[in-house]
Amino acid sequence: MLVLLIAAVAWIGVRAFLAKGELEAAVPLAQQVREQVVAGDAAAAGKSARELASHAREAAALTSDPIWRAAEIVPLIGPNLAAVRDLAGATNDVAVGAIAPLVNLAGSLRPDLFKPVDGAVPLQPMVDAQQDVRSADDALDGAAKRVRAIDGAQLIGPVAGAVDQLGPVLTETADTVDAARRAIDLLPAMLGASGPRTYLVMFQNPAEPRASGGNPGALALIGTDGGRISLLQQATTADFPRFPEPVLPLPEETAGLYGNLTGRFLQNVTLTPRFELSAALASEMWAQRFGTRVDGVLSIDPVALGYLLAATGPIDLPSGDQLTADNAADLLLNGVYQRYPDGAEQDAFFAAASAAVFERISSGSFDATKLIGALAEAGKERRVLVWSAAEDERALLAGTTLVDLLPTKEQQADAFGVYINDTTGSKMGYYLDVQAETGVAQCGANGQVLGLRLTVTNTAPADAATSLSEYITGGGQAGVPPGNFRFNVAVYTPPGSYTQGVQRDGADLPVQPAVDGDFPLSQFRLDLAPGESTKIDVGVSTSGVSMQPFVVSTPKLHLSETRQLVSTCKFAVQ
């Protein structure tokens, strides 16, 4: 028995040493494959991928024989052997099931292949790539789950370190490929691969903020068919009536928080951070006004448009202006309102700008790599939102940041949602600055207090009442002194949490407590004079576990990083 035991230990030790060598040989090859795929060198990537798969298969085989598996039941040693087997198996799953299919796509999905040719985006490369991307996504998702399931409680340092290193990399990569899978499954259909489609595009204006972005003052109807995109119609909110009743039944929470005007006025459909609801309402309003049932609704704002201009280059407008990546947001959110006091003139400017940008992109005159990067950045900031009338396509979008402004399911335990709705009837949101700080304190064995501090500033000049146009200030029409900015703030907190209190500059602030779906929230109103700044503190108790809370918010002109705040168990307690 002693001889057998020594032999088994030696067997496992030798195989562990060999497996370590195989995995160490695989690591640089994985980086090499990535670089070769990005460079479009399919032949070199294929060769590297085959070597990587060989090392990964050998590592998996070395750590999964019957003697190894039997030793996994031994206390202390066993969990480490099981973890090493799972690490080797996950690496093999990625090398064989994910990297190999993705290498097949090297060179066939270059960004420039998606530029319109004779006005149409080639769809066949996307269709041809769908199966390989799905296979890679399934393999990466399985490998990430396998590593996340490893119990690290009894692992020795080197094994625990390997788990800590591989787990986040796999999760991040799996998320990236999952996004690519959704896009490549969705885009051909949206671009009319199976027949003509129509989409309503809403241009949200953060200068008049709404929870999901801003007043959708400018709209366009676009058509797609076989990859060809056409601008069919343009409109503004002035073209829509005041509907006597909500055009669709509103959820009770929405009506209670934001009023039934959410479903009666097109400019107010975005009062809720639930863009799916906003889009459905806008779609119905468009159908009732113009008789066209759209297949989906897209939303974008001028800041995202500026990102796209980095890919298209400057665009000359009929007004004589040149729209660039540097001036798009300032010109479209502020300059136009200073120059043209009449709403019809503003609408004409926006329509001309939209048509010029659309023409440039549909002609293919842009840097495809930069355009994809710009869309990715805008999507991350929630400046691009998508809704489909088709249930199966909504399922593909579910769980992404393209659906609405709420924290995703994976973010909920760690996120505050901060949503702003203008009540001034102005464009003073251009001058709104919001800085966020968050912290967490462990309070007792089973609870935490999450702290949120908002420093909110009206950056308008002191003479805003006279130096800014009435269209920007609102001219006092809502009972707000010109230059002041009055708005509602809704702070959404993690599901199951309890708000201990809300304070403004150290004094208790009256709030409207409510619930929107799974999210508890507190809504309150602020009124800031030019140059005025105020601090809002929110304390939330939760039984969940958060390492460092962050903020998901209404996209403003300028976004800032959430800073860390020292929080206590009595943060903002009334």
Side-chain angles (χ1 to χ4, degrees):
M1 289 294 295
L2 181 60
V3 170
L4 290 175
L5 179 60
I6 293 173
V9 170
W11 175 269
I12 293 170
V14 169
R15 293 176 76 86
F17 177 78
L18 294 174
K20 177 176 178 290
E22 297 289 350
L23 290 173
E24 287 177 343
V27 170
L29 284 169
Q31 175 67 14
Q32 190 171 306
V33 170
R34 188 191 72 82
E35 293 172 353
Q36 291 164 340
V37 168
V38 171
D41 190 344
K47 181 176 182 296
S48 298
R50 287 190 292 274
E51 293 179 24
L52 169 61
S54 175
H55 287 297
R57 277 195 297 266
E58 186 62 23
L62 286 165
T63 57
S64 59
D65 68 279
I67 297 177
W68 187 290
R69 296 297 297 268
E72 290 180 8
I73 65 172
V74 178
L76 300 179
I77 297 175
N80 287 276
L81 295 177
V84 171
R85 174 174 54 80
D86 283 329
L87 290 171
T91 303
N92 184 53
D93 291 343
V94 171
V96 177
I99 290 180
L102 291 177
V103 166
N104 291 338
L105 303 178
S108 65
L109 281 181
R110 300 190 314 272
D112 60 288
L113 293 178
F114 300 103
K115 295 176 65 172
V117 177
D118 297 328
V121 178
L123 302 180
Q124 197 57 46
M126 283 186 275
V127 174
D128 293 342
Q130 286 175 341
Q131 188 53 55
D132 281 333
V133 175
R134 290 169 188 164
S135 297
D137 183 41
D138 289 341
L140 277 164
D141 183 58
K145 289 179 178 175
R146 185 171 184 175
V147 174
R148 284 198 300 267
I150 295 174
D151 183 0
Q154 301 182 57
L155 301 185
I156 60 175
V159 178
V163 172
D164 292 341
Q165 184 178 17
L166 185 60
V169 171
L170 281 177
T171 297
E172 182 179 353
T173 307
D175 289 345
T176 301
V177 175
D178 179 66
R181 174 180 182 166
R182 294 175 194 245
I184 213 163
D185 281 347
L186 191 62
L187 282 174
M190 291 186 66
L191 290 171
S194 303
R197 290 198 175 192
T198 56
Y199 292 92
L200 176 62
V201 181
M202 301 197 307
F203 298 95
Q204 294 205 56
N205 188 340
E208 188 175 347
R210 300 286 189 272
S212 66
N215 177 357
L219 306 105
L221 186 71
I222 62 172
T224 64
D225 188 8
R228 192 174 302 277
I229 307 173
S230 306
L231 180 61
L232 304 176
Q233 183 180 348
Q234 291 182 281
T236 72
T237 52
D239 296 317
F240 290 80
R242 298 181 177 185
F243 297 93
E245 297 292 336
V247 295
L248 294 173
L250 295 178
E252 184 177 345
E253 297 100 325
T254 302
L257 279 165
Y258 307 114
N260 72 358
L261 71 166
T262 308
R264 296 178 52 224
F265 300 87
L266 181 60
Q267 57 265 47
N268 287 326
V269 298
T270 50
L271 285 171
T272 169
R274 297 184 179 276
F275 181 72
E276 286 188 301
L277 175 59
S278 302
L281 291 167
S283 171
E284 182 62 27
M285 290 179 183
W286 186 275
Q288 292 192 24
R289 174 64 179 86
F290 296 112
T292 304
R293 289 284 174 186
V294 299
D295 294 294
V297 178
L298 313 176
S299 171
I300 191 170
D301 73 6
V303 178
L305 185 62
Y307 296 164
L308 298 182
L309 288 166
T312 65
I315 295 178
D316 294 325
L317 303 180
S319 63
D321 294 284
Q322 189 177 69
L323 202 59
T324 71
D326 294 327
N327 73 6
D330 289 331
L331 179 60
L332 297 174
L333 295 178
N334 187 256
V336 170
Y337 302 116
Q338 282 285 73
R339 184 187 306 176
Y340 303 114
D342 181 69
E345 291 179 306
Q346 298 164 10
D347 292 341
F349 185 93
F350 291 136
S354 301
V357 173
F358 179 86
E359 181 180 355
R360 174 68 64 86
I361 292 177
S362 61
S363 70
S365 301
F366 56 83
D367 183 310
T369 301
K370 289 183 178 179
L371 189 75
I372 292 173
L375 288 171
E377 180 68 16
K380 184 174 68 174
E381 295 180 359
R382 311 285 183 111
R383 298 186 187 278
V384 172
L385 301 170
V386 182
W387 174 81
S388 173
E391 186 176 350
D392 59 334
E393 293 178 4
R394 290 200 301 274
L396 281 173
L397 290 165
T400 71
T401 57
L402 299 175
V403 173
D404 57 32
L405 268 290
L406 295 172
T408 64
K409 186 175 181 180
E410 290 74 20
Q411 296 174 336
Q412 288 178 6
D414 298 303
F416 288 97
V418 178
Y419 308 111
I420 297 169
N421 282 307
D422 167 61
T423 61
T424 312
S426 70
K427 298 297 184 288
M428 290 297 296
Y430 177 83
Y431 298 98
L432 179 66
D433 179 73
V434 181
Q435 302 290 329
E437 300 170 85
T438 63
V440 58
Q442 187 66 41
C443 305
N446 300 310
Q448 291 183 327
V449 168
L450 309 184
L452 168 68
R453 172 167 291 167
L454 302 174
T455 303
V456 189
T457 306
N458 179 352
T459 66
D463 63 349
T466 55
S467 65
L468 301 180
S469 72
E470 286 191 6
Y471 206 92
I472 293 177
T473 66
Q477 63 179 350
V480 180
N484 280 29
F485 186 41
R486 181 179 295 168
F487 53 98
N488 291 332
V489 181
V491 176
Y492 285 53
T493 60
S497 65
Y498 172 75
T499 301
Q500 295 183 334
V502 180
Q503 296 177 339
R504 178 178 181 179
D505 298 326
D508 294 342
L509 180 66
V511 301
Q512 175 192 3
V515 174
D516 188 356
D518 294 331
F519 296 93
L521 66 98
S522 299
Q523 184 168 236
F524 49 90
R525 177 166 292 184
L526 297 177
D527 191 332
L528 299 177
E532 184 180 2
S533 184
T534 191
K535 291 187 185 296
I536 306 297
D537 290 334
V538 182
V540 175
S541 61
T542 174
S543 59
V545 177
S546 176
M547 297 304 293
Q548 178 59 45
F550 60 96
V551 174
V552 177
S553 67
T554 297
K556 299 172 291 298
L557 177 61
H558 301 293
L559 296 182
S560 58
E561 293 291 329
T562 301
R563 296 193 293 263
Q564 190 165 352
L565 177 73
V566 177
S567 187
T568 70
C569 295
K570 295 188 178 297
F571 188 90
V573 176
Q574 289 184 334

